Amino acid sequence: MRQGTNLPRVGGYNQAVVLDAIRTAGPVSRVELAPLTGLTSQTVSNVVRRLLDAGLVSESGYAPSSGGKRRTLLSPRPDGAYAVGVQLDPDAAVVVVVDLAGEVLASRRVALPDGAQPADIVPRVAGAAQRLTAKAQVDPARLLGTGIAAPGPIDGPAGEVVSPPNFTGWGRVPLRAMFETATGMPVAMDNDATAAAIGERWIGGRARAGSFLFLYLGTGVGAGVVLNNTVLHGDSGNAGEFGHIAVDAEGLPCDCGGTNCVGPYVSPAGVIGDLLRRHGAEAAGRIGVSGAADAVHRDWKALRQAARGGDTAAHDVVRRAGRRFGQAARGAVALLDVSRIVLGGESVRGIEPILCEEIDAAVNATCVARSIRRIDVEKSVIGDAVGAVGAASLILHGNYAPGWRMLTQA
Ligand SMILES: [Zn+2]
C-alpha cells in the first residue's frame, strides 16, 4: 500500500491515497485507514470528510462490534465518477462507459471499414461514445473524460500513434488531440497493453496490488508492466513491447525488421500461419480456417474453438505459441522480479488455460525461480473487454490514483 504524507499542500495526493485504500481494502473504517495509508487519524478524518462531500465514497454500514463505539465502514461510490473507454483495433472500435467501481454500464462495437483513416474514425467513434453515455444516463458533471487504448507504437508525451502496423496509410496521427476536439472532453491515451494493465490494477483491487506483468493479445502482442503499484511507461511511452523480445525462433519476419521476435509466433495471424505450415490445408479445412488475409478474426475464432474442443492440430499450434510466450515471459520476469503474470485481451478467449499452463511451466521451471518465489500465472479479472475498460481506467486512474504528478503539478 502506498504511503501518504502529512505535509501541507498535498491534499489532492492524500485524497487519492485514501480513496485508493478504500477502493482496494474497502469496506474499511477510518481507524483501519490510518495504518493502511501512513496518515494520522486526524488527517484521515479530514480527507474522508472531503471524499464524502465530493460524492466519491459513502458510509456503508458498521463493522461488527468489538465492544465500545461501533466503527462506520466506508465504501467507494460507483456513481461518484464515470469515464468512456475506447479500444481501437483495425477492424473495430470497442466503446464502453465505466463507473468509478469499474462496472461497464454500456458498451458498443463500432465496425470500421477496411483502410479507414483517422479523420473518418474519430468523429464516428466520438459520436458512438456520446450516444452511449446518454443511454447509460451518466451525469455529465461526473463524466471525467475519454481514454483511448491505441495500438503501438505511440509517442506518449505527444499523444500520437506512429505508423501502427495493420492500419493502412496511418503515419504520425495526433489521436489524443483529435479526440479532444471531437469529444470536448479531456482525453488520455496509452498503448493498448499498458491501458489493459492499468485497468487490471484499477479494477482488480487486492488481487492486483503490488507488481505484475500483463501479457496482452489482440491483433498483436504487447505487455503492460506494473511495479509496486506504479505503471511503467518508459521515456517514449512504449515500455512493454513484449512482441519484440527475441526467442529461439525459425526466422519469421517481424514488422520491426527482426527475424527472431516472439510477436510473429504468438499473434493470431502467426498461429494461423503455423497451423497451415505444420498441419496443412486438410486440417485447416476441418477446423474452418481459410487462411485468407482478410479473415484473421474469423479464422482465429475457429482455431480457438477447435483448440478448446481438443482438435489435435489446433491444440498443437496453440500450445507451441504458449511455449514461445513462456520463453519470452521468462526473460521478462527475470528482469522485473514480478510474482504474477496476467494474461488477457480479446484474442485469448477460450485458450487461456493452454497458454497459462505453458507460460507457468516456462517461468517456474528454473531452480533459481523456484527457490525464491513461485510466479502465479492467471487470466485477466476483467475478461474480453480489458482493452476498452483499461482505456476508461486511464481517466479514472489519472484522476484518482496517487501519483507523483499530483505532487509536482500545481
Ligand atoms: Zn519485432
Side-chain angles (χ1 to χ4, degrees):
M1 191 71 56
R2 196 177 293 261
Q3 297 284 293
T5 159
N6 295 297
L7 291 170
R9 302 178 69 83
V10 289
Y13 182 79
N14 282 343
Q15 212 166 309
V17 169
V18 172
L19 179 61
D20 194 47
I22 294 172
R23 284 189 346 96
T24 309
V28 66
S29 70
R30 288 171 178 78
V31 174
E32 292 163 284
L33 279 170
L36 279 173
T37 58
L39 295 166
T40 64
S41 45
Q42 185 56 52
T43 304
V44 166
S45 222
N46 293 340
V47 170
V48 165
R49 173 45 53 203
R50 286 205 299 275
L51 290 171
L52 285 165
D53 289 346
L56 295 170
V57 302
S58 62
E59 294 183 326
S60 56
Y62 296 96
S65 175
S66 52
K69 194 165 169 255
R70 290 172 82 197
R71 294 170 180 180
T72 309
L73 293 174
L74 299 157
S75 293
R77 267 183 72 164
D79 63 352
Y82 303 91
V84 171
V86 175
Q87 149 92 43
L88 200 58
D89 270 321
D91 57 345
V94 177
V95 187
V96 295
V97 179
V98 171
D99 67 18
L100 186 59
E103 194 74 35
V104 176
L105 303 179
S107 73
R108 206 186 143 207
R109 191 180 178 90
V110 183
L112 301 176
D114 221 18
Q117 295 303 297
D120 310 323
I121 288 178
V122 171
R124 194 187 292 216
V125 171
Q130 202 169 31
R131 288 190 292 279
L132 216 54
T133 50
K135 183 181 157 195
Q137 297 180 320
V138 164
D139 175 0
R142 292 194 175 269
L143 182 60
L144 301 176
T146 298
I148 312 289
I154 65 169
D155 181 338
E160 298 174 340
V161 297
V162 184
S163 308
N166 308 314
F167 283 79
T168 317
W170 287 37
R172 197 174 252 277
V173 180
L175 218 47
R176 190 174 64 206
M178 291 175 78
F179 271 103
E180 275 166 357
T181 306
T183 62
M185 281 192 292
V187 173
M189 188 185 93
D190 218 317
N191 80 60
D192 42 21
T194 300
I198 290 174
E200 195 80 11
R201 164 72 187 100
W202 179 256
I203 287 161
R206 257 178 282 210
R208 294 293 178 263
S211 305
F212 61 90
L213 173 69
F214 191 98
L215 297 180
Y216 179 86
L217 190 64
T219 307
V221 62
V225 182
V226 176
L227 283 182
N228 304 319
N229 296 316
T230 301
V231 182
L232 222 65
H233 283 100
D235 284 344
S236 69
N238 290 293
E241 278 285 8
F242 186 84
H244 304 293
I245 291 182
V247 290
D248 175 20
E250 295 159 31
L252 284 184
C254 176
D255 295 317
C256 73
T259 52
N260 59 353
C261 296
V262 70
Y265 294 91
V266 300
S267 69
V271 182
I272 290 164
D274 206 28
L275 176 79
L276 289 160
R277 268 193 312 280
R278 289 180 194 282
H279 299 282
E282 200 187 283
R286 177 184 71 229
I287 292 165
V289 165
S290 73
D294 62 353
V296 172
H297 198 81
R298 210 168 46 239
D299 280 357
W300 183 239
K301 193 174 172 189
L303 206 165
R304 280 183 287 133
Q305 270 169 357
R308 199 174 48 221
D311 181 280
T312 50
H315 200 269
D316 172 56
V317 290
V318 170
R319 193 164 282 282
R320 280 171 190 278
R323 243 169 256 155
R324 287 254 156 76
F325 247 126
Q327 206 184 344
R330 201 183 127 190
V333 297
L335 187 69
L336 297 169
D337 186 25
V338 293
S339 54
R340 175 171 290 122
I341 293 175
V342 182
L343 182 69
E346 65 170 6
S347 295
V348 296
R349 186 187 211 172
I351 54 170
E352 298 101 327
I354 307 172
L355 296 178
C356 284
E357 198 180 307
E358 288 297 332
I359 295 167
D360 189 325
V363 297
N364 288 306
T366 67
C367 56
V368 174
R370 276 201 309 271
S371 68
I372 299 168
R373 41 113 181 79
R374 224 197 99 76
I375 297 168
D376 293 325
V377 182
E378 299 163 358
K379 66 177 188 175
S380 160
V381 294
I382 301 174
D384 273 10
V386 68
V389 174
S393 302
L394 295 177
I395 292 288
L396 298 171
H397 187 270
N399 275 273
Y400 296 127
W404 279 110
R405 257 187 331 174
M406 291 178 175
L407 288 173
T408 53
Q409 280 176 357

